[in-house]
Amino acid sequence: MDLLQLRTEADTVLAELVGDPGGTARLREDQWQAVAALVAERRRALVVQRTGWGKSAVYFVATVLLRRRGAGPTVIVSPLLALMRNQVEAAARAGIRARTINSANPEEWDAIHAEIESGEIDVLLVSPERLNSVDFRDQVLPKLAVTTGLLVVDEAHCISDWGHDFRPDYRRLRTMLAELPAGVPVLATTATANARVTADVAEQLGTGGGDALVLRGPLNRESLRLGVLRLPDAAHRLAWLGERLDDLPGSGIVYTLTVAAAEEVAAYLRQRGYPVASYTGKTENADRLQAEEDLLANRVKALVATSALGMGFDKPDLGFVVHLGSPSSPIAYYQQVGRAGRGVEHADVLLLPGREDEAIWAYFASVGFPPEEQVRRTLDVLARADRPLSLPALEPLVDLRRSRLETMLKVLDVDGAVHRVKGGWTATGRPWTYDAERYAWVARQREAEQQAMRDYVTGTGCRMEFLQRQLDDEGAVPCGRCDNCAGPWLAPEVSSGALTEATGELDRPGAEIEPRRMWPSGMAAVGVDLKGRIPADRQAAGGRALGRLSDIGWGNRLRPLLTPQAKDGPVPDDVLAAVVTVVADWARSPGGWAPGAADAAPRPVGVVALPSRSRPHLVASLAEGLAKVGRLPLLGSLAYTPEAEEFAAHRSNSAQRLRALAASFTVPDTLAAALAATPGPVLLVDDYTETGWTLAVGARLLRAAGADRVLPLTLALAG
């Protein structure tokens, strides 16, 4: 193949791709090296290059060149829905027919499958979850493996469980790599792979195709100015952002660690008059699309986002990235800040760490690969089953939450121990070894990353150099731009007025508790006769909590009261006063019981407490305090049954938790008599609700004993 002629053709395609046909656009030498490896040599290549380097230009140019030479369509596997939308639009500019299959467009899947069959598609973008879908894996994937002209694995660090964002669905790619015909090129791309992850991904790319070519470039981002502001508390951070957001260049992203924080911060900034939108895993797809479009068009100053926005957003002129809260990994942090400054000379990157960060890290670390006993139990259940078991059918039989159970099964599927089929999961009977050493190493790696993030916050050396060294970039040198190299460029002070306003916002108490309406599936399998919809006369009403543990206001104040290490004691006066405010606001809301409330309901006739082993004094004093302030009788408390110890409820999946709770509580005679003597609504008080099942079981018992409405009230709500 004439490489000079191929280079000329490649540059022409690039000009069309960037919307400048006949212009002067040319691939850089490192980009050309990747294109030549794919088109001229039909190699497998791993490209590790900084965000903004132009990885998508490589695979789109290679696609056009390969298609002109008779190759089949390009298949791009990417976890980034936002980036998929960007790339479909970019492809169209160069006359490339691109379609995408992901969770946001199931109504289009059949039509796209037909277009694949007829050869109408040049590029198919697929989310990794599709690789593990039974229909796609068994019917579509084999055909793709035979007809694919180029396979692209975007964000390839997700393949490796040494990486910061391992996704088990990606491991299905091993199968596709092994089944590709000889001579089909493969391109894997990432901006966030250290030396170990790079070696692991390169090894997996070599499956069935020989050694992979690794093209690794420098990771310095000359446009970014990095800084850290260590402020006293959440109110100072929120106030600082409220006063300084307009000082930041252009439009950008404000990252938070939780959904609750994102919604809280966005609401505060809107009150301050800023055009902002929230963007989280709970945001409806249509709202996500609108938020992306508004940011691209600079109609908003910022998106306040969780990692749901993460890697998958392409806005070259993004002027800033601010983190309210520190990610647990410097590699993940590098990836997120890399969204800024891709097409502008200067962009500001600021980290505002918080005291709550490490508690959030600990939660996410707790949902890793399960212990061997739980894995073996799941395999045993599947082996003894006479049919495939779905996740809802498995939940009552194993002690794992659904999301963690599903992730574990995906790993076991790739390992060959289980198989996903129509109707659920089956055991294969193949020998399987629990790689305790590997899982322990990964856990230690996570701990090391957390320590590195602490070091980033407190360090006095160059911040960009620090991040580059975390990614094993041999060319890392001081940047001369960050706050440690050149000095801070934004003052940490906030005005007293802004601080008062932010404090008031964070002090505003109250979060709604959505009651459970349906019992979990499969309870009969564990001897519990509860199924389907919870009868209306046994349900809890909608409830209230003082705050969410994941928010940056009351969450920060409640966590110390509710940690396992906290000493049990009476509810603090300020917390009780805030709960009273929540109840007063609740009473005045529609459906409340205050005079004048819309659709006013009867006033509660008393207060009932849930028993607590870990915090009995806290719950009892909360119930007593509410009864006293509200001038309501304290009717008593539910009691533990003699079997309660045997069925101690674990924080696992819904079915297992309900199984334990259903056998754990009873209504003592004194409480039953009080309910009979004073029929009406009751407040049901507890310290904390995570799943809602304790409240659902308590409400069922109280309603059966005569309460005509049960109003749950807790200090804290998870999520």
Side-chain angles (χ1 to χ4, degrees):
M1 184 177 294
D2 186 333
L3 289 182
L4 184 60
Q5 180 181 345
L6 185 66
R7 174 66 190 265
T8 301
E9 188 180 355
D11 288 336
T12 302
V13 172
L14 177 67
E16 294 171 352
L17 187 65
V18 300
D20 186 27
T24 59
R26 286 178 58 82
L27 291 166
R28 295 191 310 273
E29 285 305 312
D30 48 5
Q31 291 175 313
W32 162 243
Q33 186 180 1
V35 170
L38 297 172
V39 179
E41 302 176 46
R42 306 296 174 100
R43 291 202 60 180
R44 296 186 175 190
L46 169 60
V47 170
V48 183
Q49 296 282 1
R50 64 184 182 274
T51 303
W53 175 83
K55 295 182 283 289
S56 60
V58 169
Y59 51 72
F60 278 137
V61 169
T63 292
V64 174
L65 298 178
L66 288 166
R67 290 288 276 168
R68 288 176 180 175
R69 286 154 179 79
T74 291
V75 176
I76 302 174
V77 181
S78 172
L80 315 175
L81 299 190
L83 194 56
M84 283 186 183
R85 290 188 282 270
N86 295 155
Q87 291 183 335
V88 168
E89 294 168 4
R93 289 197 296 268
I96 301 170
R97 296 163 296 180
R99 298 297 300 272
T100 176
I101 294 179
N102 59 67
S103 59
N105 68 340
E107 71 284 351
E108 300 177 19
W109 292 353
D110 288 343
I112 294 172
H113 291 169
E115 292 172 9
I116 294 170
E117 291 272 0
S118 62
E120 298 175 38
I121 294 175
D122 296 314
V123 173
L124 176 66
L125 294 108
V126 183
S127 62
E129 291 75 20
R130 289 296 92 213
L131 301 177
N132 215 31
S133 161
V134 174
D135 285 342
F136 190 88
R137 181 195 68 201
D138 294 343
Q139 298 177 27
V140 180
L141 197 57
K143 296 174 184 175
L144 281 179
V146 172
T147 62
T148 293
L150 169 65
L151 174 63
V152 178
V153 183
D154 203 10
E155 307 302 337
H157 58 274
C158 298
I159 294 176
S160 174
D161 57 3
W162 309 110
H164 74 277
D165 195 25
F166 166 64
R167 304 190 184 192
D169 289 306
Y170 258 73
R171 295 182 68 179
R172 177 65 55 195
L173 285 166
R174 276 182 174 268
T175 303
M176 188 170 180
L177 287 166
E179 294 176 354
L180 286 174
V184 174
V186 178
L187 173 67
T189 69
T190 180
T192 50
N194 59 20
R196 176 148 198 160
V197 173
T198 298
D200 187 26
V201 175
E203 180 184 354
Q204 295 193 47
L205 282 181
T207 302
D211 292 338
L213 171 68
V214 178
L215 301 173
R216 186 181 177 105
L219 300 178
N220 182 28
R221 293 290 310 282
E222 293 86 352
S223 63
L224 299 186
R225 178 168 57 169
L226 305 179
V228 175
L229 281 175
R230 301 173 70 186
L231 300 175
D233 53 35
H236 278 81
R237 284 181 283 139
L238 197 59
W240 186 92
L241 188 63
E243 285 198 309
R244 303 285 184 172
L245 190 60
D246 265 341
D247 295 340
L248 299 174
S251 55
I253 301 169
V254 176
Y255 279 109
T256 66
L257 299 186
T258 67
V259 171
E263 293 172 349
E264 194 173 17
V265 171
Y268 170 75
L269 292 175
R270 282 193 290 267
Q271 290 172 13
R272 296 274 302 183
Y274 292 108
V276 300
S278 60
Y279 190 112
T280 74
K282 293 186 178 180
T283 305
E284 292 292 335
N285 186 56
D287 293 332
R288 284 193 184 200
L289 287 170
Q290 186 62 56
E292 292 168 14
E293 291 172 4
D294 287 344
L295 184 59
L296 286 169
N298 295 315
R299 290 190 291 266
V300 294
K301 178 65 177 178
L303 293 189
V304 185
T306 63
S307 59
L309 185 64
M311 304 169 283
F313 194 77
D314 185 14
K315 178 177 167 62
D317 63 340
L318 200 75
F320 65 88
V321 170
V322 175
H323 278 76
L324 287 184
S326 175
S328 61
S329 161
I331 301 174
Y333 183 65
Y334 173 88
Q335 183 178 61
Q336 290 178 351
V337 303
R339 305 265 47 100
R342 297 176 57 178
V344 293
E345 290 187 8
H346 304 291
D348 286 348
V349 171
L350 289 165
L351 172 60
L352 281 63
R355 287 181 301 172
E356 70 276 11
D357 298 350
E358 300 216 12
I360 296 169
W361 297 353
Y363 169 76
F364 287 117
S366 71
V367 294
F369 198 73
E372 183 171 8
E373 179 185 354
Q374 291 177 314
V375 182
R376 295 291 179 193
R377 167 67 178 165
T378 306
L379 290 173
D380 184 56
V381 168
L382 289 172
R384 288 187 285 106
D386 58 2
R387 58 184 173 82
L389 294 180
S390 64
L391 289 173
L394 266 172
E395 273 189 304
L397 306 174
V398 298
D399 196 15
L400 287 167
R401 290 187 184 182
R402 183 171 300 188
S403 59
R404 199 175 182 199
L405 174 61
E406 183 176 22
T407 298
M408 180 192 75
L409 288 170
K410 288 177 178 178
V411 173
L412 293 175
D413 189 4
V414 176
D415 289 346
V418 304
H419 190 55
R420 190 174 185 177
V421 297
K422 284 282 190 180
W425 298 84
T426 61
T428 63
R430 297 177 189 170
W432 180 80
T433 302
Y434 187 89
D435 195 345
E437 183 177 347
R438 185 178 183 88
Y439 302 138
W441 194 97
V442 171
R444 291 194 299 272
Q445 186 75 358
R446 298 289 182 265
E447 292 171 2
E449 289 176 348
Q450 292 177 8
Q451 183 56 51
M453 207 62 217
R454 296 184 193 101
D455 295 342
Y456 177 83
V457 167
T458 59
T460 57
C462 174
R463 299 199 189 277
M464 180 57 76
E465 181 184 14
F466 181 94
L467 294 178
Q468 288 178 256
R469 292 197 183 282
Q470 289 296 310
L471 284 155
D472 297 323
D473 184 355
E474 296 178 356
V477 295
C479 70
R481 302 178 303 276
C482 70
D483 58 349
N484 283 340
C485 286
W489 68 94
L490 288 170
E493 290 78 21
V494 297
S495 70
S496 58
L499 184 59
T500 299
E501 185 178 349
T503 301
E505 178 67 21
L506 295 179
D507 280 348
R508 183 176 293 117
E512 293 189 8
I513 298 174
E514 185 70 24
R516 288 289 185 173
R517 305 293 189 196
M518 298 284 292
W519 298 119
S521 302
M523 295 306 301
V526 290
V528 178
D529 187 22
L530 295 172
K531 63 180 179 179
R533 180 171 292 277
I534 302 174
D537 62 355
R538 294 294 184 267
Q539 286 183 14
R544 294 293 189 277
L546 173 55
R548 295 180 181 273
L549 287 182
S550 58
D551 67 33
I552 59 175
W554 275 103
N556 281 347
R557 298 161 73 174
L558 291 170
R559 274 191 297 272
L561 283 177
L562 301 175
T563 61
Q565 298 79 25
K567 185 178 179 181
D568 185 31
V571 63
D573 291 343
D574 64 325
V575 174
L576 177 60
V579 174
V580 170
T581 300
V582 170
V583 175
D585 290 342
W586 188 7
R588 291 189 292 267
S589 67
W593 54 89
D599 303 319
R603 187 175 188 268
V605 298
V607 178
V608 177
L610 275 158
S612 172
R613 287 194 178 86
S614 57
R615 288 177 282 271
H617 296 306
L618 180 67
V619 176
S621 67
L622 176 61
E624 291 166 4
L626 284 168
K628 182 178 180 180
V629 174
R631 299 179 182 177
L632 295 169
L634 181 60
L635 301 178
S637 172
L638 292 173
Y640 286 117
T641 65
E643 298 80 22
E645 196 70 41
E646 176 187 352
F647 289 100
H650 302 290
R651 297 195 191 283
S652 57
N653 64 56
S654 291
Q656 287 286 325
R657 186 161 179 79
L658 179 58
R659 172 177 176 262
L661 291 167
S664 295
F665 296 123
T666 187
V667 180
D669 292 342
T670 53
L671 176 55
L675 291 169
T678 54
V682 297
L683 286 172
L684 178 60
V685 175
D686 201 2
D687 55 351
Y688 168 72
T689 182
E690 181 175 12
T691 64
W693 290 119
T694 303
L695 298 174
V697 169
R700 176 174 177 265
L701 291 170
L702 292 172
R703 302 228 31 199
D708 63 21
R709 196 173 180 215
V710 175
L711 304 162
L713 178 65
T714 70
L715 290 178
L717 173 66

